[in-house]
Amino acid sequence: MAIPPGEEILIISHLDADGLSAGSLMLQALLRSGASPQLRIVKQLDEEVVKEVSQSKLRFIVFTDMGSGQKSLLKNIGDRTLVVVDHHPPEQVETDLLELNPHLFGFDGSTDLSAAGTAYLLAVKMNKANRSLIPLAIVGALGDVQDKGERGTLIGINTRIVEEAEKEGVLIVKKGLKLYGFESRPLAQCLAYTMEPYLPGLSGDEGACYKLIKGLGIDPRKPDGSWRSQADLSREELRTIINGVIKYLISQGLSSRDAESVIGAIYIFTKEAADSPLRDAREFSSSINACGRLGRYGLGVSICLGDRDNALAEFKAVLQEYRRTISGYLSWLHNNKDAVKILPHVQAIYGGTQVDEKMIGTLVSIAFPSKPFTMDRPIVGFAMSSGVMKVSARGTADLVRRGLNLGRVMKEAAERLGGTGGGHNIAAGAQIPLGKEDEFLSLAESLISKTMVGVKL
Ligand code: C5P
Ligand code: C5P
């Protein structure tokens, strides 16, 4: 398909790390092709977005990180050229839209390729110069937790992208503690800055991290008073730190398997400064996710497009706000036992008006591995959205292996209550009518109990 020069094109993408990366990739690729694209970031693809698009005069609309699961909804958009670049399971509906999705080629979009990876492959087909955007394909995959290989490695088509980035000299993959900036930052800082996995009692609290390191008998400073990083540790000290962090996580309620998963592949962008939140690919991803979740879409996109100087300073302030917001939610959760409900096959956080709808997905992901929740059943979170209840659900690779498909559970339970839902087997969501949370949870409980095998509860 040829794009007329100067053609105004609307790109619509999702607010999380993968959505921001995929949208930015398409924006840059279309700019380079001579078109005049604009990028709009949305919380979800719903009737409101469809109405807005239907009213616009633009002839070309590109959806990234959304659309495949909502093809019947997209049918309501009038006479336009619609392009979908997505990795969600495609809805089996006949349409004339142009769709690029790893599922259509026999790959699993939850693990093998993200929306950003899909957009990257398309961008390189459009113009080889778009190879420079390869870091965003990795950021998107890590944002969608596609590092499901042994020791936290990326798998599927993502492996090819990783190899290409290594060859281009923009990426190094190492083994280490999956803490943000483990390779370059002072120890206490890299523990405190890590948000995913969330380290209960350590994330966001440099003082507590300093105490933990001291308590392990390791001096966090060099004799000249400057901070020590991983490179300054002896092998023995490094082992002590690794064991200390794992033990600490187990003491906070994580299973030994989950705690040990903190050791694994770390992805480092060689062209970013050593102290930058963009050097460690997981931190890059979690940081732009923070921009999305706090509604700072423009900033997230600027960073993806390569803005550094001023944008980076603003970015660091947003990260601080994000850490504060999460620890606020966690203490709210800790003090509000009524907000938690644990059923035999599903558990839930009732966020109501207390949790921002853009943050509920992050909160359930973070709260999932620690008490009072268990990782032997999926977790669902509710938060009030405008006129509806937003639902975010998360599972584990193990639950998926035993038959869990949260995308289907969300779709079926939501539709029975007059709402909509969908997503991946491991991470999904829904919008349901207000006041239907208990009913929705019972439906989810029954659907999950029927599909899961080998559940010993
Ligand atoms: O729309 P999209 O597919 O990009 O969103 C998936 C969401 O689910 C992301 O925000 C991602 O971080 C989250 N996720 C998760 N745990 C997984 C897989 C995805 O929290 N195992
Ligand atoms: O919003 P949240 O991060 O919880 O979404 C998890 C996944 O479920 C995302 O991939 C999102 O695109 C998908 N989802 C969906 N349909 C909905 C709500 C969420 O496909 N109605």
Side-chain angles (χ1 to χ4, degrees), residues 43-84:
K43 286 178 283 186
Q44 72 246 343
L45 177 50
D46 54 17
E47 276 163 14
E48 214 175 295
V49 174
V50 165
K51 194 168 142 206
E52 193 185 311
V53 170
S54 309
Q55 284 165 357
S56 102
K57 291 195 190 74
L58 305 188
R59 294 184 298 160
F60 291 86
I61 320 282
V62 182
F63 294 92
T64 53
D65 197 24
M66 50 179 55
S68 286
Q70 296 101 343
K71 282 194 249 177
S72 16
L73 190 61
L74 295 183
K75 274 189 151 185
N76 301 329
I77 300 179
D79 189 25
R80 304 267 191 319
T81 301
L82 302 185
V83 180
V84 168

Side-chain angles (χ1 to χ4, degrees), residues 322-338:
Y322 185 64
R323 287 185 206 117
R324 268 199 310 272
T325 309
I326 290 174
S327 71
Y329 283 143
L330 289 174
S331 53
W332 165 80
L333 192 57
H334 186 72
N335 295 320
N336 283 277
K337 304 281 178 255
D338 294 352

